[in-house]
């Protein structure tokens, strides 16, 4: 093999974390290579990682298609709109999703070109002394050497030993984004983010959906009142959510179109078996590190298989960094974005930093769920004194005019300083509204600041205004 090609920064993985790191490093004048092994549905290299290929973007495309379809049957009538024979063409819907994916994965290739990031397409392994060997898709091998190497290998779906993915009947997110028809009966293991989002997609299109969650609490990480409201709304939509359900078996029977899967679980009603056409397993993801590290790199994995890093995403090995889903912290694209930028800036000698306290969470169901900061449960555990103010969307003119009155906003502030500690929302459009809380917290704002900022009328954001006023019992549009 010829001499290794030399770069200032070699990034392994072109997902949200990796492509942000690569582009930012290139903007800062560094010579950058970025390697990714993934292929798109057309068998061609596709940059952008899980997020663009089989995660954030395709799931939101299907959520939006299915929401339009659901609204035809459940919202349009109230607006006086009628129609005959609404039908969903699943092929066309999935085709639209694929087109969006292609546009955005291709967009990363264009951004690399514009920023002079050199892409390599193949599987990369880190060797000692920051040498990276890439097995390219054509079978050839190239060797790169980086003054810095950033590991951004992402994550893979966790498989259950008794429910192995077959890509057809028992699937993870990849399969559930590509069903060719609406399954009559769908079971989902795991009432987490993927289970709820993709369960909602197929429910809205007509599937009978049963969600089996092992824990006794629904969405334990969310504010308890938000979780309760969301659960009530999802059940109203017909999602059958079974909590405390321990699944023990999934058996596929039949052939071709007649394939079905018998799922056995035990809950408070004892052991039961349900038979469904498709089973989505969404029980979490684990860091992807298989084949990434050759012997002797010195990079350590923790007991969860994540690459060990300090608060600056440094692995402890000179010039080797790791970011995104393959390290600790929430598995969110925007967390990866921020780590990618921060590490590129640190490499360039700038003060890169990620504030984990203000990373927003969003679940793109209907109603949407979003939060930033601490929940009441967490503050109680930490012994932090706090006060809250809530406001329902049912009293917000804009939400009612839209026919979307479900949900509420809750502001949590420190009992003594009034500083905003958390913003919790469930309702229409809250994926956008949550950033008002992010901003308030980043600027160390108080509930009084939020209450005194002029909010346009009529907008959904008025729910935050009134909730902030309710913290000191001075909301105008409800009894305090
Ligand atoms: P990834 O996106 O996983 O990218 C890693 C890349 O590295 C991959 O392309 C992989 O092929 C490549 N790679 C790995 N190892 C090697 C190697 N050795 N050599 C070469 N290439 C390699 N997050 C949100 O914030 N919002 C959402 O709405 C959202 N929706 C989601 C929906 C679904 C269905 C799923 C599955 C995830 C969703 N996520 C969402 C999570 C989000 O996709 C991830 O947090 C994000 O993609 C992580 O980015 P990353 O760059 O760390 O890793
Ligand atoms: P998750 O951690 O959100 O949810 C997994 C759920 O499965 C949990 O509620 C867990 O208690 C349950 N579970 C685990 N083992 C089980 C078992 N054997 N039987 C029944 N239930 C079981 O994981 P996910 O939904 O797979 O998503 C993975 C990650 O992807 C998430 O952590 C999230 O960070 C990311 N993601 C984010 C978004 C978003 O931001 N909107 C969307 C999708 C995915």
């Amino acid at each position: 093999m010829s001499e290794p090609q030399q770069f200032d920064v070699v990034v392994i993985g072109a997902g949200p974390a990796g492509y942000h790191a690569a582009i930012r490093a290139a903007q800062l004048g560094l010579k950058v290579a970025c390697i990714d092994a993934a292929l798109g549905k057309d068998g061609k290299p596709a940059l952008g990682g899980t997020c663009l290929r089989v995660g954030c973007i395709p799931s939101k495309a299907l959520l939006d298609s299915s929401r339009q379809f659901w609204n035809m049957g459940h919202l349009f009538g109230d607006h006086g709109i009628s129609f005959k024979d609404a039908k969903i063409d699943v092929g066309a819907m999935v085709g639209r999703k694929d087109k969006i994916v292609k546009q955005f994965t291709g967009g990363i290739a264009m951004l690399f070109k514009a920023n002079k990031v050199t892409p390599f397409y193949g599987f990369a392994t880190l060797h000692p002394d920051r040498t990276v060997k890439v097995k390219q898709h054509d079978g050839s091998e190239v060797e790169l050497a980086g003054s810095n190497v950033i590991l951004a290998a992402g994550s893979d779906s966790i498989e259950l030993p008794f429910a192995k993915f077959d890509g057809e009947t028992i699937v993870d997110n990849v399969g559930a984004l590509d069903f060719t028809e609406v399954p009559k009966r769908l079971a989902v293991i795991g009432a987490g983010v993927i289970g709820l989002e993709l369960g909602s997609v197929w429910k809205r299109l007509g599937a009978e959906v049963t969600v089996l969650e092992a824990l006794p609490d629904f969405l334990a990480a969310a504010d308890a009142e938000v979780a309760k409201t969301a659960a009530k709304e999802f059940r109203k939509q017909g999602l059958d959510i079974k909590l405390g359900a321990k699944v023990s078996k999934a058996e596929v029977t039949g052939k071709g179109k007649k394939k079905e899967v018998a799922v056995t679980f035990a809950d408070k009603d004892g052991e039961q078996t349900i038979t469904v056409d498709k089973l989505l397993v969404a029980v979490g993801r684990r860091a992807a590190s298989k084949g990434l590290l050759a012997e002797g790199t010195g990079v350590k994995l923790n007991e969860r298989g994540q690459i060990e890093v300090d608060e600056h995403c440094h692995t402890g090995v000179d010039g080797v960094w790791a970011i995104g889903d393959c390290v600790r912290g929430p598995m969110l694209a925007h967390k990866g974005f921020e780590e990618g930028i921060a590490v590129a800036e640190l490499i360039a000698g700038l003060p890169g930093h990620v504030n984990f306290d203000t990373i927003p969470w969003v679940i793109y169901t209907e109603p949407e769920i979003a939060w930033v900061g601490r929940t009441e449960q967490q503050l109680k555990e930490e012994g932090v004194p706090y006060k809250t103010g809530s406001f329902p969307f049912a009293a917000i003119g804009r939400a009612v005019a839209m026919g979307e009155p479900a949900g509420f906003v809750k502001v949590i502030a420190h009992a003594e300083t009034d500083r905003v500690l958390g913003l919790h929302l469930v309702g229409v459009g809250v994926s956008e509204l949550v950033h008002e809380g992010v901003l308030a917290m980043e600027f160390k704002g108080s509930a009084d600041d939020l209450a005194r900022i002029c909010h346009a009328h009529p907008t959904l954001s008025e729910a935050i205004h009134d909730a902030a006023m309710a913290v000191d019992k001075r909301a105008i549009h409800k009894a305090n």
Side-chain angles (χ1 to χ4, degrees):
M1 198 186 288
S2 52
E3 279 293 291
Q5 298 180 42
Q6 191 69 41
F7 290 89
D8 296 320
V9 181
V10 175
V11 185
I12 301 182
Y19 83 73
H20 272 68
I23 291 173
R24 185 70 189 118
Q27 284 174 349
L28 291 165
L30 299 167
K31 187 180 173 200
V32 183
C34 186
I35 311 144
D36 200 290
L39 300 174
K41 264 175 92 172
D42 57 6
K44 296 191 180 139
L47 303 173
T50 303
C51 169
L52 294 191
R53 284 184 297 106
V54 289
C56 321
I57 298 303
S59 61
K60 269 74 236 176
L62 297 193
L63 276 159
D64 211 57
S65 297
S66 61
R67 189 175 58 85
Q68 311 270 15
F69 185 72
W70 174 266
N71 282 349
M72 288 181 83
H74 294 84
L75 193 62
F76 281 20
D78 292 345
H79 289 272
I81 303 168
S82 59
F83 49 87
K84 265 197 189 142
D85 292 339
K87 284 197 190 77
I88 181 77
D89 177 341
V90 173
M93 178 185 77
V94 170
R96 171 184 176 274
K97 178 265 292 176
D98 290 342
K99 220 167 128 190
I100 294 167
V101 167
K102 189 118 185 96
Q103 179 188 338
F104 279 81
T105 53
I108 303 298
M110 275 159 43
L111 286 172
F112 276 4
K113 202 166 173 200
N115 286 283
K116 302 193 171 51
V117 172
T118 308
F120 288 89
Y121 299 104
F123 191 86
T125 303
L126 175 69
H127 288 257
D129 302 322
R130 299 186 303 273
T131 302
V132 175
K133 292 187 185 169
V134 185
K135 222 173 228 135
Q136 302 189 105
H137 295 306
D138 63 6
S140 65
E141 202 169 278
V142 283
E143 199 169 310
L144 316 178
S147 306
N148 287 274
V149 173
I150 304 175
L151 307 171
S155 62
D156 296 315
S157 307
I158 293 177
E159 198 170 50
L160 293 171
F162 52 81
K164 297 267 185 210
F165 300 126
D166 60 18
E168 192 192 351
T169 314
I170 303 181
V171 296
D172 65 355
N173 54 298
V174 180
L177 289 165
D178 266 342
F179 289 153
T180 51
E181 55 189 46
V182 179
K184 199 165 164 310
R185 301 156 303 175
L186 169 69
V188 180
I189 307 184
V193 202
I194 294 179
L196 291 173
E197 289 187 356
L198 294 182
S200 292
V201 165
W202 297 106
K203 171 70 221 165
R204 293 169 187 172
L205 299 177
E208 277 169 34
V209 180
T210 309
V211 185
L212 303 167
E213 166 59 47
L215 294 178
D217 293 324
F218 179 67
L219 279 181
D223 172 87
E225 282 180 87
V226 165
K228 196 168 157 204
T229 300
K232 196 171 120 207
E233 292 298 323
F234 297 154
R235 286 190 169 122
K236 254 203 260 172
Q237 289 161 20
L239 275 182
D240 183 5
I241 302 169
K242 296 186 189 298
L243 299 174
K246 305 265 183 297
V247 186
S248 55
K249 206 155 108 185
E251 207 170 11
V252 179
T253 54
K255 281 206 175 103
K257 285 209 165 238
K258 295 236 166 81
K259 265 192 182 171
E260 49 186 26
V261 49
V263 184
T264 304
F265 64 95
D267 66 1
K268 61 178 180 4
D269 300 323
E271 190 170 90
Q272 302 154 65
T273 298
I274 54 170
T275 302
V276 293
D277 305 292
K278 303 278 182 193
L279 172 63
L280 163 61
V281 180
V283 294
R285 297 177 65 81
R286 72 161 57 94
S289 55
K290 200 169 157 210
L292 179 67
L293 305 169
E295 281 289 305
T297 61
V299 175
K300 291 195 188 75
L301 302 183
N302 66 19
E303 67 289 348
R304 297 180 61 194
Q306 297 163 325
I307 297 169
E308 271 197 344
V309 286
D310 64 15
E311 72 271 30
H312 302 298
C313 296
H314 195 262
T315 62
V317 176
D318 192 27
V320 183
W321 312 74
I323 56 177
D325 276 13
C326 64
V327 302
R328 83 288 174 262
M331 288 184 162
L332 297 173
H334 42 283
K335 176 262 196 183
F337 292 169
E338 297 306 321
E339 285 183 335
I341 289 173
V343 166
E345 294 186 344
L346 287 168
I347 289 171
L350 299 172
H353 176 67
V354 180
N355 183 0
F356 273 71
D357 291 337
T358 54
I359 294 176
W361 275 87
V362 178
I363 306 178
Y364 297 83
T365 42
E366 184 97 354
E368 291 182 338
I369 298 165
W371 72 90
V372 58
R374 293 281 197 261
T375 60
E376 286 194 64
Q377 304 94 283
Q378 285 170 323
L379 291 169
K380 273 186 196 134
E381 272 168 33
E382 292 164 15
V384 177
Y386 67 89
K387 49 190 178 170
T388 66
S390 297
F391 199 81
F393 280 111
I396 292 294
R398 185 72 188 280
V400 174
M402 290 166 76
E404 307 263 16
F408 66 92
V409 173
K410 183 195 281 184
V411 173
I412 306 183
H414 194 283
E416 287 140 23
T417 65
D418 197 40
R419 190 163 154 184
V420 178
L421 300 175
L423 181 67
H424 301 270
L425 314 95
V426 53
V428 62
V430 301
S431 54
E432 303 294 341
L433 296 184
V434 69
H435 298 96
E436 193 164 333
V438 177
L439 214 58
M441 289 178 65
E442 279 289 347
F443 287 121
K444 306 194 182 346
S446 62
D448 189 52
D449 289 330
L450 284 178
R452 291 187 187 281
I453 290 169
C454 184
H455 288 67
H457 176 73
T459 62
L460 299 171
S461 73
E462 288 175 285
I464 298 178
H465 191 234
D466 258 305
M469 292 176 87
V471 170
D472 283 331
K473 306 208 180 323
R474 57 189 156 113
I476 301 293
H477 298 98
K478 72 166 197 176
N480 288 287

